[in-house]
Amino acid sequence: MMFWYDHDVSGWGWFAMTASMILFWALIITAAVLLFKALNRPYEHIHGPAPAAPTPEQILAQRLARGEVDEDEYQRRFAALRTSPPNAP
């Protein structure tokens, strides 16, 4: 009961309490936003850029290495890849 009487908070005390409460909530909200952004970052920011898709020539070379096509078929398809426009379906 000793603090109930004769310990009024002045105008500066109310201002300090209000400013500190606003600062407290601003820090809490900022920390929450930064945490949310850090947890939802895309894959490439964490692990670097995603590996590039293999080119058609690389896929054809892999098929030759696996024995799916013979050397004549490889040469024929490779020549077809080189003569076709890059955006052709």
Side-chain angles (χ1 to χ4, degrees):
M1 287 229 298
M2 136 180 185
F3 289 106
W4 286 11
Y5 301 105
D6 199 26
H7 290 288
D8 291 331
V9 178
S10 67
W12 288 109
W14 284 108
F15 174 75
M17 284 191 300
T18 303
S20 63
M21 187 56 67
I22 291 171
L23 180 63
F24 171 76
W25 283 111
L27 288 174
I28 294 295
I29 292 169
T30 301
V33 167
L34 290 176
L35 181 64
F36 179 76
K37 283 185 176 184
L39 293 176
N40 289 325
R41 287 170 56 178
Y43 176 81
E44 62 234 14
H45 289 291
I46 298 170
H47 300 286
T55 63
E57 290 87 1
Q58 291 172 335
I59 294 171
L60 186 59
Q62 290 171 357
R63 291 186 65 195
L64 177 66
R66 287 192 299 261
E68 294 176 8
V69 295
D70 61 358
E71 192 170 337
D72 293 332
E73 179 76 12
Y74 172 80
Q75 294 295 335
R76 187 176 60 78
R77 289 182 182 220
F78 189 79
L81 284 173
R82 288 293 178 186
T83 59
S84 66
N87 292 334

